[in-house]
Amino acid sequence: MSFLARIKKKCRRSLEWVKLQRESALDAQRYFRSASWAGPVKRHELAHIESDLIKHYHVLEKGLVMSDFRPRSGTGVLKRLIVLTSIWKEAGGRECEFHFQAALAAIKSYHRKHQDLNIDVSDLIPAKFWDEEDAITTEAGSKLPNELSADDRARFDQLALSRHSVRQFDLDRVPDRDLLTGAVGVAISAPSVCNRQTWRVHFYEGAAAQEMLSFQNGNRGFGHLIPMVAIVTSDMRLFGGGVERYQGWIEGGLFSMNFLLALHARGLSSVPLNWSRLNKDDRALREAADIPDHERIIMLIGCGYASADHEVTCSPRSPVSNFIKWH
Ligand SMILES: Cc1cc2nc3c(=O)[nH]c(=O)nc-3n(C[C@H](O)[C@H](O)[C@H](O)COP(=O)(O)O)c2cc1C
């Protein structure tokens, strides 16, 4: 390589490094503006308290299912959770909100487990913490696992192996909202850190779907046939601390996979569409799509009914041994 070529290569690398630093700084800035630590932002106060409620009631739940369950363990977490329920109400949070109810249910489950063991926890849980026994509308705490038949287990492989990305849709058949809601209902069974469930899905159909696709760079040749677009995002307000900076992408990916399979199980086809873009493109899509600053776009998903006689790519997978290293 000539001297000049070497200099050019070095300059190109340096430029790419600067660009990467800039994009990473912009990602970090937006995360910092949204996530709940280092002096929470007032406008996100309720979301931050909600995140804290979830974290605490989930730790309490986990304590209840440990094989070496120790009575009266987790008292610090329980006390803080009880304080958080007051903080929530003082900040204007409604008692009917899902995670407030789940927090009450987890405390109640803790109480019940101790009651069953004849262990007094009245010093930990204030008297009349619940107005009425049946006022709590959510299930939380510990329970027995769901049953699954051998047939159910075998069907999963079939379902997963028969899903393919589809790029030929019947433009005239727009998926029914109930069907999509059902698919999201299954997709939210995805695991998430401390069960914080930061996923959001924004749906666009027809002309709006086409507008969203105009921002995406991987739908050339088939985008015009997509009747419905879902934009999967993660609400960064529910994360806390620099350590969780990548959590949204991880969980958004898990959710999206579940959603693709749930669509497939309902006879709907889909194509995941990358959102690997610069921050300026991200801002433009969020503006057009009416997605707030605190939601991180994970990917777009085109969905609908596959057109008759459509074909799919083989997208061959390497041998399974390539993916595994036993230690
Ligand atoms: C996050 C993600 C982004 C993708 N982006 C695109 C895209 O922009 N355009 C496209 O045609 N396919 C896209 N795909 C689909 C992949 O090409 C496809 O999943 C892969 O070839 C495997 O094929 P299969 O989905 O049929 O199993 C994407 C897939 C993923 C998971």
Side-chain angles (χ1 to χ4, degrees), residues 36 41 74 95 108 128 142 161 174 208-209 234 244 254 279 293 297 301 319 324:
S36 63
V41 186
E95 291 185 39
K108 190 172 169 185
K128 295 217 184 295
S142 62
L161 291 169
V174 178
S234 164
E244 290 187 340
L254 289 169
N279 277 277
D293 183 65
I297 297 178
I301 295 176
I324 303 174

Side-chain angles (χ1 to χ4, degrees), residues 166-169 209-226 229 271-275 277 285 300-302:
V166 165
R167 296 178 180 84
Q168 295 177 44
F169 293 93
Q210 290 304 312
E211 189 191 352
M212 299 309 130
L213 290 170
S214 70
F215 292 87
Q216 201 271 344
N217 63 0
N219 65 84
R220 201 165 348 124
F222 65 92
H224 62 289
L225 295 175
I226 297 178
V229 167
V271 57
L273 298 166
N274 82 83
W275 191 242
R277 303 306 298 259
L285 174 57
L300 280 66
I301 295 176

Side-chain angles (χ1 to χ4, degrees), residues 25-52 55 196 198 234-242 244-245 248 279 282 286 291-297:
L26 289 170
D27 286 346
Q29 263 173 26
R30 204 147 72 81
Y31 179 74
F32 190 69
R33 274 202 302 273
S34 308
S36 63
W37 93 106
V41 186
K42 187 73 187 160
R43 71 177 184 284
H44 294 327
E45 188 180 25
L46 273 180
H48 293 160
I49 302 169
E50 185 180 50
S51 165
D52 253 8
K55 267 189 258 181
R196 261 174 278 158
T198 67
S234 164
D235 186 338
M236 293 182 283
R237 295 173 306 173
L238 298 170
F239 294 124
E244 290 187 340
R245 66 197 181 280
N279 277 277
D282 187 77
R286 274 188 290 110
I291 293 174
D293 183 65
H294 57 260
E295 288 185 35
R296 172 89 76 208
I297 297 178

Side-chain angles (χ1 to χ4, degrees), residues 112-129:
R112 196 183 313 117
K113 185 138 185 166
H114 286 82
Q115 215 171 25
D116 292 348
L117 296 167
N118 267 326
I119 295 165
D120 183 33
V121 285
S122 58
D123 58 317
L124 300 175
I125 302 170
K128 295 217 184 295
F129 190 68

